[in-house]
Amino acid sequence: MSSENKKKEGLVPEPSLRRMPCYLAYLKLAKRRNQEFVSSTHIARDMGVDPTQVTKDLSYTSIVGKTRVGYEVNALIEVLEDFLGFTKLDKAYLFGAGSLGNALLHDHGLDQYGLKIVAAFDVDPKVIGRSIEGVPIFHVSEFEKMKDENVQVGILTVPAEFAQDVAQLMAAGGIKGIWNFTPIRIRLGDDVVVQDTSLYAHLAVMFNRMGHVKK
Ligand SMILES: NC(=O)c1ccc[n+]([C@@H]2O[C@H](COP(=O)([O-])OP(=O)(O)OC[C@H]3O[C@@H](n4cnc5c(N)ncnc54)[C@H](O)[C@@H]3O)[C@@H](O)[C@H]2O)c1
């Protein structure tokens, strides 16, 4: 089965997908250090992952390593970026231009990961009509008129109490993927992918692990 088909059928396990951007960052660093080749053993050692896991993760892409030398750094960067969809720029709308929304609007890293915020929506008269990093902010009621089939990604950064309603509005307006930063479990039909993301979840894990570190 081709890697494209595997991806379509959702056979790539989530932990593998989550590790791939880390491999990419590692490889970009290797490139800056003028390294031409890198082996899965080296990636594994430097990233603290099992070598067989690295090989397995990379096998979901089309790349094959060369015996003894490993993977060509440039080629692997290209393959990973393409596989993860980072080469084509997806347009996104942001809902909630508050503290977190602002931070995301200022994050230049998103472009490198294939996401470009083209407009933001809010209800606060203090921000409506302004631009942040060149991204215009509209009243959320304008979204209906601005429906665009080329914008299928929505970033949800509104207060928790409005999250479900705004998510429904997004879905009704043709948004197919919601990057949900709110702590609310969004309920929508199967035609919309909702990806929850929480800094605090990782903080909780860190605190828990710190409690188990030997003193
Ligand atoms: N996932 C994370 O790691 C993480 C981190 C910080 C905050 N959050 C969550 O992100 C959300 C935003 O947090 P914040 O600190 O930026 O809050 P904030 O109050 O600074 O910003 C929220 C913005 O949403 C706007 N808003 C309110 N109702 C709206 C609506 N119906 N449509 C569009 N915009 C609307 C507000 O006017 C405000 O500008 C919260 O749900 C918070 O819990 C998550």
Side-chain angles (χ1 to χ4, degrees):
M1 188 187 292
S2 75
S3 66
E4 190 52 33
N5 285 340
K6 274 186 192 174
K7 204 166 108 176
K8 272 193 194 135
E9 292 193 20
L11 293 181
V12 182
E14 196 174 318
S16 299
L17 283 173
R18 287 213 213 141
R19 279 188 290 269
M20 285 186 196
C22 304
Y23 297 145
L24 191 56
Y26 174 88
L27 289 159
K28 286 186 174 174
L29 195 63
K31 183 180 173 169
R32 287 202 289 279
R33 290 176 177 153
N34 299 319
Q35 243 174 286
E36 259 185 83
F37 290 92
V38 66
S39 69
S40 47
T41 323
H42 275 114
I43 301 177
R45 185 197 60 200
D46 292 347
M47 291 185 57
V49 185
D50 190 78
T52 49
Q53 186 67 72
V54 176
T55 316
K56 181 135 194 276
D57 289 344
L58 295 179
S59 76
Y60 290 112
T61 73
S62 52
I63 199 141
V64 182
K66 292 184 189 153
T67 329
R68 276 195 290 276
V69 283
Y71 303 95
E72 207 185 320
V73 172
N74 281 336
L76 188 48
I77 288 176
E78 232 172 78
V79 165
L80 271 174
E81 283 185 333
D82 187 45
F83 183 82
L84 293 168
F86 294 167
T87 44
K88 81 178 204 341
L89 211 53
D90 271 295
K91 292 182 185 169
Y93 283 154
L94 178 127
F95 293 77
S99 144
L100 182 59
N102 249 274
L104 290 169
L105 286 165
H106 281 95
D107 176 17
H108 300 294
L110 281 182
D111 282 27
Q112 287 168 39
Y113 288 92
L115 200 64
K116 180 157 189 58
I117 303 173
V118 291
F121 300 93
D122 206 292
V123 290
D124 184 351
K126 287 199 288 296
V127 294
I128 291 159
R130 282 184 49 208
S131 279
I132 298 172
E133 294 286 308
V135 177
I137 305 169
F138 300 94
H139 192 277
V140 74
S141 60
E142 301 277 306
F143 170 58
E144 175 78 33
K145 281 186 257 161
M146 291 179 59
K147 273 189 209 173
D148 179 349
E149 63 183 28
N150 295 315
V151 186
Q152 300 201 329
V153 176
I155 304 174
L156 188 57
T157 47
V158 296
E161 57 270 41
F162 306 116
Q164 179 64 35
D165 285 352
V166 174
Q168 281 171 215
L169 183 86
M170 292 161 89
I175 296 294
K176 296 286 174 222
I178 297 182
W179 193 6
N180 174 34
F181 284 86
T182 78
I184 300 300
R185 179 62 57 92
I186 301 295
R187 303 201 182 276
L188 292 171
D190 289 345
D191 55 335
V192 181
V193 176
V194 180
Q195 179 62 55
D196 300 326
T197 295
S198 171
L199 294 172
Y200 307 128
H202 286 102
L203 189 61
V205 173
M206 187 186 82
F207 283 149
N208 179 275
R209 299 296 185 260
M210 283 169 72
H212 290 89
V213 172
K214 285 193 196 114
K215 302 235 161 74

